[in-house]
Amino acid sequence: MARPPNYGQERKERDRQKAAKKAEKLAAKVAAKERSKPEDEAGSETDTETEE
């Protein structure tokens, strides 16, 4: 005989997977932003070092 479905557990699992995917996308977005950012900051850092 089949077991009755556990809707609460299934819902929590879907929510967990959704949150993990969202966090992964956000981390990728932040990493991409940081990769493009140092190019802009590299010039300003050398300017401040030469001023001192």
Side-chain angles (χ1 to χ4, degrees):
M1 185 172 202
R3 290 188 284 166
N6 189 345
Y7 294 116
Q9 181 183 5
E10 293 172 7
R11 175 83 175 182
K12 286 179 183 177
E13 181 64 20
R14 282 195 310 269
D15 290 344
R16 185 194 63 78
Q17 289 174 346
K18 192 174 184 180
K21 186 175 183 180
K22 190 173 184 179
E24 187 178 324
K25 278 186 173 182
L26 182 63
K29 195 177 216 183
V30 169
K33 196 175 228 183
E34 287 179 1
R35 271 185 261 133
S36 66
K37 194 173 183 180
E39 296 172 0
D40 299 336
E41 291 180 356
S44 62
E45 288 177 5
T46 54
D47 292 342
T48 56
E49 291 175 4
T50 56
E51 291 174 5
E52 293 176 358

